[in-house]
Amino acid sequence: MTRTVLDEAEERERARRAARAAQKPSANGDGGKPVDKSKLVLQRLDSVKAKPVHYFVPDKLPAGKLILIAGDGGNCKSVVTLSVAADHSRGRPAMGQVYTAPVSESLFFTCEDDPADTLVPRLLALDADLTKIHHLKTAIGPDGKNVSFSLLDIDLIDQALNLNPNIKFVVIDPVSAYIGRTGRNENQDAELRSILDPLSELAAKHDVTIVLIKHLTKNEKTRAMHRISGSQAYLNAVRVAYLIAKTPIEDGAIDDGRRVILPLKNNLTKNRHGLAFRPIGIPVTQAATIVAKNCQHLSQADQQQLAEQLFTIEWLGDSDDDPDTVLTENRLAGRPKIKECADFIRGFVGHLAWPSAEVEAAANDARFSTDAFYKAKAALKLDGLHNQKRGLGAWWMGFGDPVNWSDRPNPIPP
């Protein structure tokens, strides 16, 4: 088991206390003042050799870094990572990008998806070379018995990567499950960083991309970056963080399953575009061929059933969708009157600031109820709608930072 930052800090503190307790008055008359051997080690930056950021997938997944992908269940978070692993197992460029992709291996830590009925079928549908994709089956203790694996066992991951140097992509899905087993509280920054920091160091040591999969909280009234469950240390500890979500469906449009993977944090590249994709079924004949070739152990009935379940991912190119707007629109889906009122407020307010009472009166004149108005206002907070009271006077509202507001004409022209 590896020591963590907290363990090492506690050990140093115990050593200091022991040294103070054992300290005797010295001959030089210092009164027995304890001598603390700790010190800061400084490094002049002219001794550091600059290097570029290397990428596992150019501009999307940096190599040797810790990455976070968050989203609600059913939005294909796991499938996206499987598609990346499948493509690189064949030396194909991933995520719809164009680049020369070396063949590499991947390692998955999963405790929600069964390898037999979920991981392997999905990887077969994605045309993966299964000999290059690994899955944690169990951990074995010194006595040869199976033991529960947690993210305190960094030394075991280190050992596995040393034994399998071609593994360049590691996915921990979901990360909360493996942190929960440590007994550490993921809602406490210090305790969470004591786990994530060594994991980040491990990624750098082996030049491996490590992806953490997280769920979103149910709090729909906060911004996307604050909806990652657990401590904000998750967002602070990783170098790149993404949101995966369904895209809003316009009135009358057909739901084609389009989803987006959008950057919540990415300060390593100028390319801040997200990506759009959608899960698509595989033609019946092709699916049957895949199953017949790889699943001869199954009965004809089970082969047919499995073939009907196979699907893959179609990448649709860049997306400039805003994470907060996407979540707002999804929140308004199925609530047409609230959505209509939100659209009315956007159009009425525009780029100016208005007295809230005037906007509400205009909404009422447009036959939106007061209840719909306030629910729409709440939803638009994610889009940057702010309210501000002017001294002892009225409340005003507008989009963006109030410091940069331009007031509506006063008086309003007829």
Side-chain angles (χ1 to χ4, degrees):
M1 303 294 177
T2 192
R3 293 187 305 167
T4 66
V5 175
L6 285 181
D7 294 333
E8 293 171 355
E10 291 169 358
E11 184 178 315
R12 288 196 298 271
E13 183 60 26
R14 285 196 296 270
R16 289 172 183 170
R17 291 174 181 173
R20 294 189 188 104
Q23 187 71 40
K24 296 181 179 180
S26 61
N28 62 10
D30 61 6
K33 183 179 180 181
V35 178
D36 191 338
K37 298 297 184 181
S38 300
K39 64 179 180 179
L40 296 178
V41 178
L42 306 183
Q43 180 183 34
R44 272 181 34 172
L45 289 182
D46 63 345
S47 67
V48 178
K49 303 301 181 183
K51 64 179 182 180
V53 175
H54 293 124
Y55 281 86
F56 187 65
V57 176
D59 287 329
K60 305 304 177 188
L61 303 178
K65 305 294 183 184
L66 198 60
I67 294 168
L68 179 73
I69 296 178
D72 287 324
N75 282 336
C76 296
K77 301 185 298 296
S78 301
V79 181
V80 165
T81 61
L82 289 171
S83 74
V84 172
D87 284 334
H88 276 239
S89 76
R90 300 285 189 188
R92 298 188 301 255
M95 303 180 83
Q97 305 302 290
V98 178
Y99 62 99
T100 301
V103 174
S104 64
E105 300 183 17
S106 301
L107 170 59
F108 284 81
F109 296 85
T110 64
C111 59
E112 292 184 350
D113 292 331
D114 185 274
D117 64 22
T118 303
L119 297 184
V120 169
R122 286 178 176 177
L123 287 166
L124 290 176
L126 293 163
D127 188 30
D129 180 351
L130 296 182
T131 67
K132 294 181 172 58
I133 301 179
H134 309 261
H135 174 261
L136 173 67
K137 183 177 181 180
T138 189
I140 299 176
D143 59 359
K145 296 181 180 180
N146 291 348
V147 295
S148 178
F149 170 82
S150 80
L151 287 183
L152 289 181
D153 303 320
I154 296 292
D155 57 331
L156 298 184
I157 306 178
D158 186 30
Q159 181 185 71
L161 295 177
N162 281 326
L163 293 173
N164 300 274
N166 291 327
I167 292 177
K168 294 299 177 185
F169 188 57
V170 175
V171 178
I172 303 174
D173 182 10
V175 63
S176 295
Y178 293 98
I179 288 180
R181 297 176 184 179
T182 68
R184 304 289 171 89
N185 186 346
E186 72 168 355
N187 293 299
Q188 297 295 322
D189 281 9
E191 294 190 30
L192 183 58
R193 290 301 291 257
S194 73
I195 297 172
L196 297 185
D197 288 350
L199 200 58
S200 181
E201 293 168 6
L202 188 70
K205 174 183 176 181
H206 293 279
D207 197 32
V208 169
T209 300
I210 299 181
V211 177
L212 311 178
I213 302 294
K214 283 288 294 176
H215 297 299
L216 297 180
T217 67
K218 301 300 182 182
N219 184 3
E220 298 180 334
K221 295 183 180 180
T222 189
R223 296 190 62 195
M225 67 171 54
H226 300 308
R227 286 195 57 194
I228 299 168
S229 60
S231 164
Q232 196 67 15
Y234 272 117
L235 197 61
N236 296 334
V238 301
R239 302 312 306 142
V240 176
Y242 288 106
L243 167 76
I244 289 186
K246 293 181 180 178
T247 50
I249 303 170
E250 298 296 333
D251 292 342
I254 298 175
D255 182 5
D256 63 355
R258 184 177 182 272
R259 291 162 169 80
V260 285
I261 175 168
L262 305 172
L264 294 174
K265 171 184 177 180
N266 188 353
N267 54 10
L268 298 179
T269 177
K270 294 180 180 178
N271 184 352
R272 305 294 175 84
H273 294 292
L275 293 172
F277 68 95
R278 64 183 172 191
I280 58 172
I282 295 176
V284 175
T285 302
Q286 181 183 348
T289 300
I290 292 172
V291 173
K293 178 181 178 181
N294 296 281
C295 305
Q296 297 177 9
H297 60 284
L298 295 178
S299 67
Q300 287 295 321
D302 281 348
Q303 285 190 25
Q304 181 177 349
Q305 186 175 4
L306 180 57
E308 293 172 354
Q309 296 171 356
L310 297 187
F311 67 95
T312 186
I313 280 183
E314 179 185 18
W315 292 96
L316 304 173
D318 287 349
S319 168
D320 290 322
D321 286 291
D322 175 74
D324 292 330
T325 301
V326 167
L327 291 183
T328 298
E329 293 298 318
N330 284 333
R331 181 185 175 193
L332 292 173
R335 305 170 74 185
K337 202 63 179 177
I338 308 300
K339 186 180 186 307
E340 288 177 20
C341 189
D343 291 340
F344 173 84
I345 292 173
R346 284 195 192 99
F348 185 91
V349 172
H351 64 280
L352 300 175
W354 292 76
S356 297
E358 292 183 11
V359 182
E360 182 179 355
N364 293 157
D365 288 343
R367 299 186 180 282
F368 293 108
S369 68
T370 298
D371 181 63
F373 174 75
Y374 280 100
K375 287 180 178 177
K377 273 183 61 178
L380 288 173
K381 286 183 179 180
L382 289 182
D383 269 2
L385 182 67
H386 289 278
N387 294 276
Q388 184 183 66
K389 192 171 186 179
R390 302 252 174 116
L392 299 177
W395 284 88
W396 284 60
M397 59 189 288
F399 288 93
D401 190 336
V403 173
N404 300 320
W405 278 354
S406 296
D407 292 351
R408 58 97 170 98
N410 187 18
I412 304 175

